[in-house]
Amino acid sequence: MAWRPSATVNMRAALFHKSRIATVPFYAGEPAGPSVKTAIPGPRSKELAKDLDTVFDTRALNMLTDYSRSSGNYIADADGNMLLDVYAQIASIPVGYNNPALAKAASSPEMVSAIINRPALGNFPPHDWADVLRSGILKAAPKGLDNVFTAMAGSDANETAFKAAFMYRRQLERGGRDVEFTPEEIESVMSNKGPGASQLSILSFKTGFHGRLFGSLSTTRSKPIHKLDIPAFDWPQATFPQLKYPLEEHAAENAAAEQVSIDEVEHLIKSWHLPPAAIIVEPIQSEGGDNHASPDFFRKLREVTRRHGVLMIVDEVQTGIGATGRFWAHDHWNLQDPPDMVTFSKKAQAAGYYYRMPELRPNKPYRQFNTWMGDPARALLFRAIVDEIERLDLVNNTANVGAYLYGQLEQLSKVHPDHFQNLRGKGQGTFIAFDTPKRDEFLVKAKSLGVNIGGSGATAVRLRPMLILRESHADILVDVLDKIARSF
Amino acid sequence: MAWRPSATVNMRAALFHKSRIATVPFYAGEPAGPSVKTAIPGPRSKELAKDLDTVFDTRALNMLTDYSRSSGNYIADADGNMLLDVYAQIASIPVGYNNPALAKAASSPEMVSAIINRPALGNFPPHDWADVLRSGILKAAPKGLDNVFTAMAGSDANETAFKAAFMYRRQLERGGRDVEFTPEEIESVMSNKGPGASQLSILSFKTGFHGRLFGSLSTTRSKPIHKLDIPAFDWPQATFPQLKYPLEEHAAENAAAEQVSIDEVEHLIKSWHLPPAAIIVEPIQSEGGDNHASPDFFRKLREVTRRHGVLMIVDEVQTGIGATGRFWAHDHWNLQDPPDMVTFSKKAQAAGYYYRMPELRPNKPYRQFNTWMGDPARALLFRAIVDEIERLDLVNNTANVGAYLYGQLEQLSKVHPDHFQNLRGKGQGTFIAFDTPKRDEFLVKAKSLGVNIGGSGATAVRLRPMLILRESHADILVDVLDKIARSF
């Protein structure tokens, strides 16, 4: 079945006086709408999945994807179905499948060289590495954070940031950069014991997600299934404010909940048996179900961390690179002084942490080091992504389309209040979510109607479209959501 | 100064009756020899490094590299110097800089798509992912290990293997795959406490290296500087046998040292307060200084781990992919039954762990999961690397050239016994090392004479050439080593 706009959508479009320009896709060649030809998964996908499962765990399989046929906002599966994709590889495709500008960058001799001559960046950086950084990763740097350490993905971006925090904290405690390690430290650390192995912690928030390696998983508090059986550090967790939506209707009680959380953070900083060297926080808790907090909350968090000499790491792995209608979600906060570190990955395709103070470089070489230390191929791709975002003004696009989409969803939630609860993400670009009681069934129905959507937390549907979403795509999405609600 | 063979080398070449074919590079266009035009670093490199340091820590800088001009076994720097490279990006370049077969693979439409459409592999694998795995990563799989979990680099390859080991062990303790988690486990794990967070460990060896994130660093015992200030798990370490070289002259005392180590492993398995779910071991401890053990040691280790129900993880991140004259270093051991997991990265360019038992897949989806779960672009590159190794018979080449090189070094160590001590790696391809008292100065002199070499441990010089090293390159290397020794 090829997608056709319903009468409802046409009416809504007319009401909003959409300009023609906001409905034209950014790239030619994108399908006019979804097209679902088989059940999903279809027969070919089932056959391929059965075969794949003999060598690769397929129990988390969502769709066997034909990337060569996917285009812009549309993802193609192995049975010829074409879905509007507002999940985008768990929020990690920035400017569309088979984006022509990215294809050009990926075919360049520079990229080919980066792929086949992968350097050990710390030892043998390319002679033009400063230029590559300045024209890409650092061009996108959050205000006030002029340095970067590059990594592979979100987990090790966070973990290397933690390592920087621990080394910085111990340097302060030791009395400065030039103070040598004691013989006791040098000896004990080889047995994984203190004082050489620091007796410090990272403070994180309940329902937060920061990755799944051993250090990052110790700060992740999303779901038991992510953590069961894995040894963890005895690190503290504070309650993330549990706000009521819409935020503007519950201002007073939300502010009170935020203050309780801030007080808990301060209490933990002062009392936890392994003192926190840093806190890590997402601007919007994403994997945990799209939990928001106000700019005021984050300003208070900055204030309390500064006062206690605890570093503030903002995890923008999912929120960064334009999705919230600002390049970085923490740009919404108007902080007096910036976070100490900001981690990034996903839509950047590159990964790492930006940092503020030069002192966050450890006092000796080879303390923050590994063989590859990131990937120049991904740095080149991020540069092309940043250029594309700039050329097409995609952060503003996301802000505008997000406002339009949010308005449509507000209408929809009035028509189907049971199926669209706690709508959230107003003013946060397309970073929008809602709760729905039969969530898993909801997502399956969405596929059959031509839209690929993701869930998070226990009952949330999270929208994570690419930055090239247009109002016309939003209309298709809203129409399908409407149909799903009606079908229950 | 362009490199010219010394009379010594010509004589040696004549003595060894080298066939013409063993001296011809595998690829046209490689320089005939090193060419050193400036001090290293030269003026241009110094200038670029100063600039780079304003945005990127350069204290571990070895050479600012011009990858576009590097070719085959030769690495070019920013001042036009061209060095024979027997360090190869910390042992991670397999088949030469700007290898034409890899360049072709990297320019293919399939690769471009993999770069710009990076999937969340666990959810949205490419429809041909089984084919990509079978024709590349799995074609290279160690005997008996038919499954793979893909990762980004060595550290997370090891850490995801650890996670698999912990989940497997707890599954056995719980009584099977179908036994549900208890409410106590589900509740406690969210506070990072037992019983949900398992009270288990990974046993590793002193002077071993397995990565630098929090779990892997807890098993790494290379140097204090790698570990200081970073919190660590209280996991056990056994002494790695400290053998005397040449091995064949100290057989009896080496066997005794190995038995002491095996006994210590068994004692730790039985007594450590956090029981080991797995041991992890390198076939040759690489970062720790090229410490060898005999096949008999590893067979005993396999026996003791099997007897106690402890998994055996072989870390082939540095030893794998042909460098030792076998595709996997553990192929030298003739194990009765294979290791439970083998981790890989570096020369594979892709990364992950191979595993044996289907039960090492956790009992539920999303327990071993992350957004990217590896990188199809790197899987495609590994496929091209495997094809190239096969086409040019490079594992045999490494065995043969390694034997030739080892013979030359044996001669050299007789001429300069003070500068070439504990020569090791006989029969291990080009995976050769020796100790030298003024190691750091030795490495600097090597550069000035046209060879890029790496160190490891306290006093070791480790040779990590690419698989395309020929006898003619070995001659150049030996000649330079001879000159260095004479210069002291």
Side-chain angles (χ1 to χ4, degrees):
Chain A
M1 158 204 90
W3 179 84
R4 277 184 184 69
S6 70
T8 325
V9 162
N10 280 338
M11 184 197 68
R12 259 200 316 272
L15 280 174
F16 273 79
H17 306 292
K18 285 205 315 289
S19 69
R20 168 79 186 137
I21 197 150
T23 69
V24 177
F26 282 107
Y27 305 100
E30 201 181 69
S35 148
V36 178
K37 297 172 178 171
T38 72
I40 296 179
R44 177 86 181 119
S45 294
K46 280 186 182 167
E47 190 185 321
L48 287 168
K50 194 176 162 192
D51 178 49
L52 178 57
D53 193 68
T54 62
V55 290
F56 193 79
D57 189 349
T58 59
R59 288 170 301 168
L61 183 65
N62 195 314
M63 281 171 64
L64 270 163
T65 305
D66 185 341
Y67 288 98
S68 66
R69 292 183 53 250
S70 300
S71 173
N73 290 282
Y74 287 85
I75 185 170
D77 77 1
D79 287 275
N81 299 304
M82 185 71 86
L83 277 66
L84 177 66
D85 190 3
V86 295
Y87 193 27
Q89 307 302 321
I90 317 182
S92 68
I93 298 286
V95 290
Y97 293 113
N98 288 302
N99 176 295
L102 267 51
K104 195 176 164 199
S107 317
S108 69
E110 200 178 4
M111 180 69 85
V112 170
S113 175
I115 291 173
I116 67 175
N117 302 316
R118 187 169 189 177
L121 269 176
N123 285 160
F124 301 91
H127 65 289
D128 59 351
W129 184 230
D131 291 341
V132 172
L133 287 174
R134 286 205 187 96
S135 59
I137 293 179
L138 286 172
K139 193 171 164 191
K143 205 175 132 189
L145 279 70
D146 300 331
N147 279 269
V148 69
F149 183 83
T150 47
M152 311 289 188
S155 282
D156 65 318
N158 285 335
E159 295 208 1
T160 48
F162 297 170
K163 288 179 69 170
F166 288 123
M167 292 187 275
Y168 174 77
R169 168 67 166 252
R170 289 291 298 130
Q171 177 173 297
L172 287 182
E173 290 175 350
R174 225 171 249 126
R177 280 178 89 72
D178 301 330
V179 182
E180 287 299 323
F181 307 112
T182 65
E184 291 73 23
E185 286 177 319
I186 288 170
E187 197 197 328
S188 61
V189 79
M190 297 310 290
S191 305
N192 292 2
K193 296 195 193 316
S198 70
Q199 307 298 300
L200 297 167
S201 65
I202 304 291
L203 189 157
S204 62
F205 286 94
K206 287 177 191 172
T207 57
F209 184 92
H210 304 288
R212 303 180 58 151
L213 299 172
F214 286 79
S216 48
L217 189 61
S218 289
T219 63
T220 283
R221 316 280 182 167
S222 44
K223 290 179 181 169
I225 199 74
H226 297 159
K227 291 170 71 73
L228 277 157
D229 296 345
I230 313 303
F233 291 108
D234 189 15
W235 291 353
Q237 57 179 337
T239 308
F240 195 75
Q242 293 177 290
L243 304 191
K244 293 192 176 165
Y245 305 95
L247 299 176
E248 59 275 20
E249 290 176 23
H250 304 85
E253 54 189 317
N254 285 345
E258 291 187 339
Q259 189 57 51
V260 169
S261 173
I262 293 289
D263 293 343
E264 192 181 343
V265 167
E266 186 156 23
H267 173 72
L268 288 167
I269 289 174
K270 290 197 283 192
S271 67
W272 195 258
H273 67 110
L274 306 169
I279 66 156
I280 183 162
V281 66
E282 296 159 276
I284 300 165
Q285 287 191 328
S286 308
E287 190 63 32
D290 272 34
N291 308 316
H292 291 251
S294 74
D296 187 58
F297 171 76
F298 292 104
R299 286 192 293 263
K300 283 184 171 144
L301 201 55
R302 173 71 287 194
E303 191 279 320
V304 80
T305 51
R306 193 191 319 100
R307 185 149 41 83
H308 291 283
V310 171
L311 297 175
M312 180 172 177
I313 304 171
V314 177
D315 178 342
E316 291 248 27
V317 168
Q318 188 155 165
T319 52
I321 327 296
T324 68
R326 306 291 292 269
F327 198 94
W328 299 102
H330 77 269
D331 290 340
H332 288 281
W333 304 341
N334 295 313
L335 290 180
Q336 311 90 312
D337 56 351
D340 297 293
M341 290 184 262
V342 171
T343 61
F344 63 99
S345 180
K346 288 197 190 277
K347 281 194 187 64
Q349 297 286 306
Y353 64 89
Y354 296 105
Y355 61 102
R356 192 161 72 107
M357 300 176 288
E359 295 78 18
L360 280 170
R361 278 192 199 179
N363 67 341
K364 290 176 193 285
Y366 289 103
R367 300 193 70 191
Q368 186 75 294
F369 186 87
N370 58 65
T371 295
W372 285 327
M373 294 207 341
D375 185 346
R378 297 288 165 188
L380 293 172
L381 193 68
F382 190 20
R383 181 171 76 182
I385 291 165
V386 170
D387 287 349
E388 194 69 348
I389 289 173
E390 209 169 57
R391 184 176 73 85
L392 298 172
D393 198 18
L394 292 179
V395 180
N396 279 327
N397 175 69
T398 305
N400 295 334
V401 174
Y404 172 76
L405 175 60
Y406 191 90
Q408 301 287 72
L409 292 171
E410 262 185 327
Q411 299 301 316
L412 209 54
S413 71
K414 283 173 190 156
V415 181
H416 311 286
D418 291 350
H419 293 291
F420 300 93
Q421 301 170 3
N422 302 316
L423 181 67
R424 48 204 186 267
K426 189 175 189 171
Q428 298 287 327
T430 55
F431 213 96
I432 297 170
F434 54 86
D435 294 309
T436 197
K438 297 182 175 171
R439 196 267 313 275
D440 293 348
E441 198 181 338
F442 193 105
L443 298 177
V444 170
K445 286 189 184 214
K447 272 212 181 61
S448 72
L449 293 168
V451 184
N452 181 42
I453 319 183
S456 63
T459 55
V461 171
R462 58 173 156 173
L463 305 181
R464 294 293 176 273
M466 305 161 200
L467 308 180
I468 55 165
L469 194 83
R470 297 299 244 165
E471 293 183 9
S472 49
H473 303 112
D475 288 338
I476 293 171
L477 169 61
V478 170
D479 186 62
V480 164
L481 296 176
D482 185 27
K483 283 177 180 157
I484 297 169
R486 287 180 198 282
S487 78
F488 276 110
Chain B
M1 157 207 91
W3 179 84
R4 278 185 184 68
S6 71
T8 325
V9 163
N10 281 335
M11 184 197 70
R12 259 202 314 273
L15 280 175
F16 273 81
H17 306 292
K18 285 206 313 287
S19 69
R20 168 78 187 138
I21 196 149
T23 69
V24 177
F26 283 106
Y27 305 100
E30 200 181 70
S35 147
V36 179
K37 297 169 176 172
T38 72
I40 297 178
R44 177 86 183 120
S45 293
K46 280 186 182 165
E47 191 185 319
L48 288 168
K50 195 177 163 190
D51 178 50
L52 178 58
D53 193 68
T54 63
V55 290
F56 192 81
D57 189 348
T58 60
R59 289 171 300 167
L61 183 65
N62 194 315
M63 282 170 64
L64 271 162
T65 306
D66 186 341
Y67 288 98
S68 66
R69 292 184 51 251
S70 300
S71 173
N73 289 282
Y74 287 85
I75 185 169
D77 77 2
D79 287 275
N81 299 304
M82 186 71 87
L83 277 65
L84 177 66
D85 190 2
V86 294
Y87 194 27
Q89 308 300 321
I90 318 183
S92 67
I93 297 286
V95 290
Y97 293 112
N98 289 302
N99 176 296
L102 267 51
K104 195 176 164 199
S107 316
S108 69
E110 199 179 6
M111 181 69 84
V112 170
S113 175
I115 296 277
I116 67 176
N117 302 316
R118 187 171 187 176
L121 269 177
N123 286 161
F124 301 91
H127 65 288
D128 59 351
W129 185 229
D131 290 342
V132 171
L133 287 174
R134 286 206 188 97
S135 59
I137 293 179
L138 286 173
K139 193 170 161 189
K143 204 175 132 191
L145 279 69
D146 300 330
N147 278 270
V148 69
F149 182 84
T150 47
M152 310 290 189
S155 282
D156 65 319
N158 284 335
E159 295 208 1
T160 48
F162 297 170
K163 289 179 69 171
F166 288 124
M167 292 188 275
Y168 173 76
R169 169 66 167 252
R170 289 291 298 131
Q171 178 173 297
L172 287 182
E173 291 175 349
R174 226 172 247 124
R177 280 177 90 72
D178 301 329
V179 182
E180 287 299 324
F181 307 112
T182 66
E184 291 73 25
E185 286 177 319
I186 288 169
E187 197 197 329
S188 60
V189 78
M190 296 310 290
S191 304
N192 292 2
K193 296 196 194 315
S198 69
Q199 307 298 300
L200 297 167
S201 64
I202 303 291
L203 189 158
S204 62
F205 286 94
K206 287 179 191 171
T207 55
F209 184 93
H210 304 288
R212 302 180 60 148
L213 299 173
F214 285 79
S216 48
L217 190 61
S218 289
T219 62
T220 283
R221 316 281 182 165
S222 44
K223 290 178 181 170
I225 199 73
H226 297 159
K227 291 170 71 74
L228 277 157
D229 296 346
I230 312 303
F233 291 108
D234 189 15
W235 292 352
Q237 58 179 337
T239 308
F240 194 76
Q242 294 177 290
L243 303 191
K244 293 193 176 163
Y245 304 94
L247 298 177
E248 59 276 21
E249 290 176 20
H250 303 85
E253 54 189 315
N254 286 345
E258 292 187 339
Q259 188 57 52
V260 168
S261 174
I262 293 289
D263 292 345
E264 193 181 342
V265 167
E266 186 158 22
H267 173 72
L268 288 167
I269 289 174
K270 290 196 284 190
S271 65
W272 194 257
H273 67 110
L274 306 169
I279 67 159
I280 184 164
V281 66
E282 296 159 276
I284 301 165
Q285 286 191 329
S286 308
E287 191 65 31
D290 272 34
N291 308 316
H292 291 252
S294 72
D296 186 57
F297 171 76
F298 292 103
R299 286 193 293 262
K300 284 183 171 144
L301 202 55
R302 173 70 288 194
E303 191 278 322
V304 80
T305 51
R306 193 192 319 103
R307 185 149 42 83
H308 290 283
V310 171
L311 298 175
M312 180 173 177
I313 303 171
V314 176
D315 178 341
E316 291 247 26
V317 167
Q318 187 156 163
T319 52
I321 327 297
T324 67
R326 306 290 294 267
F327 198 94
W328 299 103
H330 77 268
D331 291 340
H332 287 282
W333 304 341
N334 296 312
L335 289 180
Q336 309 90 313
D337 55 351
D340 297 294
M341 290 185 262
V342 171
T343 61
F344 63 100
S345 180
K346 289 200 190 274
K347 282 194 187 63
Q349 297 286 305
Y353 64 87
Y354 295 105
Y355 60 102
R356 191 161 71 108
M357 300 175 288
E359 295 76 20
L360 281 169
R361 280 193 198 177
N363 67 341
K364 289 174 194 285
Y366 289 103
R367 301 192 69 191
Q368 184 78 290
F369 185 87
N370 58 67
T371 295
W372 284 328
M373 295 207 339
D375 185 345
R378 297 290 165 186
L380 293 173
L381 194 67
F382 190 21
R383 182 171 75 181
I385 291 165
V386 170
D387 287 349
E388 195 68 348
I389 290 173
E390 209 169 57
R391 183 176 74 85
L392 298 171
D393 198 18
L394 292 180
V395 180
N396 278 326
N397 177 69
T398 304
N400 295 334
V401 175
Y404 172 77
L405 174 60
Y406 191 90
Q408 301 286 71
L409 293 169
E410 261 186 329
Q411 298 300 316
L412 209 54
S413 71
K414 283 173 190 156
V415 181
H416 311 287
D418 291 352
H419 293 291
F420 301 94
Q421 300 168 5
N422 302 317
L423 181 66
R424 47 203 186 268
K426 187 172 188 173
Q428 299 286 327
T430 56
F431 212 96
I432 297 170
F434 53 85
D435 294 310
T436 197
K438 297 181 175 174
R439 196 266 315 273
D440 292 350
E441 198 180 337
F442 193 104
L443 298 178
V444 170
K445 285 189 184 212
K447 270 209 183 58
S448 72
L449 294 168
V451 184
N452 182 42
I453 319 184
S456 63
T459 55
V461 172
R462 58 173 156 173
L463 306 181
R464 293 293 177 273
M466 305 160 200
L467 308 180
I468 56 166
L469 194 83
R470 298 296 245 166
E471 293 183 9
S472 49
H473 304 112
D475 288 338
I476 294 171
L477 169 62
V478 170
D479 186 63
V480 165
L481 295 176
D482 184 28
K483 282 175 179 158
I484 297 169
R486 287 179 197 283
S487 77
F488 277 110

